[in-house]
Amino acid sequence: MTRTQTGPQTVRLSRDLPGTPPAPPVRIVHLGLGNFHRAHQAWYTAHASDAADWGIAAFTGRRPDAAVRLAHQDGLYTLLVRGADGDHAEVIGSLAQVHPSTDHDTYLDLLRRRETAIVTITATEAAYLRTGDGHLDVDRSDVVADLQALRTDVTAPVTTLPGRLVAGLAARREAGAGPVTVLSCDNLAHNGAVTATVVLELAELLDSALHAWIGAEVDFADSMVDRITPATTEEVLATVTALTGTTDEAPVPTEPFSEWVVSGRFPAGRPAWESAGVTFVDDVTPYERRKLWLLNGSHSLLAYAASVRGHRTIADAVADPECRGWVEEFWDEACRHLDLPAEELTAYRAALLERYANPGVRHLLAQIAAGGSLKLPLRIVPALLAERAAGRSPVGCATAIAAWVLHLRGVGAPVDDPAADRAEHAAAQGVPDVLDLLHPGLGEDRELVELVASRLAALTPTD
Ligand code: CS2
C-alpha cells in the first residue's frame, strides 16, 4: 500500500512508494471537496472498471483546509466504512489533484481541456442562490459582485457557485474544447434543471452568445445521491490509525450503503460508473422524491424534534419510541404521494431504520439541522401540500414544522442557517409567518396553522 514511514508505528499516505498506482489523468473537475464527495462520487469513480483513466481534480468551497490536508498525502485518503460487523478501511485514489477554490486559474485551465468531460458538484442547497420562486437571486451582493467581475474580465476570480460555473464554461467555449456535462450531486429536486437555471440566468446577463453556447453544448445531468456521511472526528482519526497503521489527516467515515441514480447524456464521455453500481435512468424523479422525502425528510424531522428531547445522534433518536413514532407518521403521509409500489416503499422504510440504527455512524442531529429554511421546502413541504390538497391533516409533517419553530426559538440543536434572521423573526411572530416563509400563502391555511400550533404545544418542554 501507499505509505511512507512517519514514526515507529505509523506511515503516511503517499503516492511515492513503489507499487503505488499513479494519480489517474484528470477528466472530472469537482466543486466541493467535502466528506460526502469523498464517500460517494470519488468512491464510485475509484471502483469503476476504467478507474485508471478517470482522475478527479477537486476544489474546495470557501475553506481551503481539506485541500491542504489532502495535498500532504497526494489526494489519498482512507474511507472508513462502518458496518454492523465492524469497521473496514479502504484507501481511495481517484483524487488526482486537490485545490483551494482560490486556484481559479487552474480551474479555468482544466475546463479549457477537451479531455475534461464532467464537472461534478457537492455544494449544499444554499449554494445555488435561488429566490423563493426558483430563479437566480440577482439582488444578492455576491451575485452582483461576480457579475461585475465577469463583465470586466471573464477570467476574474469569482466566489459563487453559479459564477464559478459560468466562468469555467466561458473558458471552455473560448478554448473550443467542446461539450461537457455538469452533474449536480446535491440534495435538490431536479438538481440538473436547478443548476441549468442559475447558470443560464447568470450567463444571459453577461453575454448572449455564451448563453446560447451553454444552452446548446452543456449537458446538465440530474442525479440522486445517497450515502450517510458524518463529519470526521478525533475518534475516526484514531480508529483509522489503529486499524491501518497509517497516519491520515483526512479520513472519511461513512456507512456501507450507497446509491447513485443518474440521468444525463455525457457528450464528452464518462467513467463506466455502472460497473461500480451506479444506475442510469431516463428520469431520476421517482428516486429523487423517494430519497428526499423519506430519508432527508425524516432526517430533518429528527434533527429538530429529537434534539428537543435531548438526543444528539440519529441512532439515539430512532431508539426513542416517541421519535420513531413521529417518523413513521410522517412516512405514512409522504408515502401516500410517492408513485412507487407499496412493497418497495415498505422495504425502503425498513432499510432506512436499519441504516439509522447503525451505532458506528455517529450522525449528529446538529449537523443535519443546519440550513432548515432551504431543506424543509424540499423535504417536508411537498408531502404536506399533497396531504392538504387531499383534504387530510398531516400530523407528521406538522410535527416537523413545529419542531423547527422550537429550534428557531432556541430549543434543541443550535441555529445555523443562511436565512437565520428571517427564520428566527418568523418563528418569533408565530406559526403563520413560519408557514409563509416555507411556502408563500401557506400561513392562510387556518386548519394547518392550528395543527402546527397544537404540535408546538405538545413538543414544548414543560420545565
Ligand atoms: C442529511 C443528508 O445533513 C443532512 O441534511 O439529511 O446529508 C443525508 O445524510 C444524505 O443526503 C444521505 O444521503
Side-chain angles (χ1 to χ4, degrees):
M1 189 165 291
T2 49
R3 297 166 181 174
T4 48
Q5 205 71 39
T6 55
Q9 271 100 35
T10 62
V11 288
R12 182 185 292 280
L13 286 175
S14 156
R15 294 197 196 257
D16 286 343
L17 289 184
T20 305
V26 172
R27 299 210 53 202
I28 300 173
V29 168
H30 181 74
L31 301 179
L33 181 49
N35 274 11
F36 181 69
H37 170 64
R38 286 184 279 146
H40 194 269
Q41 304 95 55
W43 177 84
Y44 279 102
T45 305
H47 281 254
S49 53
D50 52 358
D53 303 330
W54 287 89
I56 301 170
F59 292 79
T60 63
R62 302 255 155 116
R63 292 179 46 195
D65 317 26
V68 173
R69 279 197 296 270
L70 283 158
H72 287 155
Q73 43 198 56
D74 301 333
L76 297 171
Y77 61 94
T78 311
L79 192 66
L80 185 66
V81 181
R82 317 201 88 169
D85 56 345
D87 293 332
H88 172 78
E90 179 190 355
V91 175
I92 306 292
S94 53
L95 292 186
Q97 296 180 18
V98 284
H99 301 282
S101 61
T102 45
D103 274 0
H104 193 55
D105 290 342
T106 308
Y107 164 70
L108 297 180
D109 281 345
L110 286 165
L111 264 291
R112 288 185 186 110
R113 289 159 49 172
R114 190 168 281 276
E115 57 271 28
T116 298
I118 306 168
V119 180
T120 50
I121 309 165
T122 53
T124 81
E125 298 87 342
Y128 292 79
L129 308 180
R130 293 188 300 160
T131 54
D133 58 358
H135 292 282
L136 177 68
D137 188 350
V138 290
D139 293 331
R140 291 179 58 105
S141 56
D142 49 1
V143 174
V144 171
D146 275 5
L147 189 57
Q148 269 167 7
L150 292 169
R151 274 190 179 133
T152 318
D153 172 3
V154 89
T155 65
V158 282
T159 60
T160 67
L161 175 68
R164 289 167 84 187
L165 289 168
V166 167
L169 294 172
R172 189 170 186 88
R173 171 173 168 256
E174 271 174 22
V180 68
T181 289
V182 174
L183 174 57
S184 168
C185 302
D186 281 302
N187 283 319
L188 299 163
H190 311 296
N191 50 16
V194 167
T195 314
T197 300
V198 294
V199 166
L200 285 165
E201 288 184 357
L202 185 63
E204 197 171 17
L205 294 172
L206 194 63
D207 171 356
S208 59
L210 174 64
H211 176 262
W213 183 86
I214 293 174
E217 301 291 337
V218 181
D219 164 39
F220 289 96
D222 278 311
S223 80
M224 185 283 281
V225 292
D226 190 7
R227 194 165 203 180
I228 293 173
T229 305
T232 301
T233 59
E234 289 297 327
E235 183 272 325
V236 170
L237 295 171
T239 302
V240 166
T241 303
L243 211 59
T244 65
T246 301
T247 299
D248 184 342
E249 292 177 41
V252 177
T254 194
E255 63 171 338
F257 180 91
S258 191
E259 195 176 11
W260 197 4
V261 183
V262 178
S263 167
R265 292 184 288 106
F266 296 94
R270 62 164 174 81
W273 277 325
E274 65 281 4
S275 63
V278 178
T279 307
F280 286 89
V281 296
D282 289 337
D283 182 10
V284 167
T285 312
Y287 302 91
E288 203 170 64
R289 283 186 164 200
R290 181 195 65 184
K291 194 262 174 168
L292 268 177
W293 296 14
L294 300 185
L295 191 157
N296 297 115
S298 62
H299 258 184
S300 288
L301 163 62
L302 291 171
Y304 308 120
S307 64
V308 169
R309 286 170 66 81
H311 299 304
R312 294 196 62 227
T313 67
I314 288 286
D316 295 345
V318 288
D320 176 341
E322 183 88 10
C323 297
R324 163 101 177 260
W326 294 331
V327 167
E328 298 280 6
E329 204 164 33
F330 166 68
W331 279 346
D332 287 345
E333 294 159 8
C335 282
R336 280 201 275 269
H337 309 283
L338 287 172
D339 197 12
L340 290 166
E343 39 318 340
E344 190 180 322
L345 291 171
T346 306
Y348 190 78
R349 286 165 62 156
L352 282 184
L353 286 175
E354 207 170 300
R355 291 169 65 190
Y356 289 178
N358 183 340
V361 177
R362 287 189 51 76
H363 203 189
L364 294 179
L365 298 173
Q367 183 185 346
I368 300 165
S373 64
L374 292 157
K375 289 175 177 174
L376 295 193
L378 296 160
R379 301 174 174 200
I380 305 289
V381 173
L384 184 146
L385 292 176
E387 283 287 89
R388 292 304 290 146
R392 276 191 285 267
S393 294
V395 177
C397 298
T399 302
I401 292 174
W404 189 51
V405 175
L406 270 182
H407 157 81
L408 293 171
R409 290 180 182 170
V411 186
V415 178
D416 171 8
D417 196 304
D421 289 351
R422 262 189 315 139
E424 284 169 342
H425 178 73
Q429 293 297 302
V431 171
D433 290 63
V434 172
L435 289 172
D436 277 334
L437 185 74
L438 291 175
H439 185 82
L442 203 54
E444 278 153 40
D445 181 342
R446 298 308 311 164
E447 221 180 289
L448 179 64
V449 170
E450 271 170 37
L451 179 64
V452 175
S454 74
R455 295 305 298 138
L456 185 56
L459 291 173
T460 305
T462 42
D463 41 303

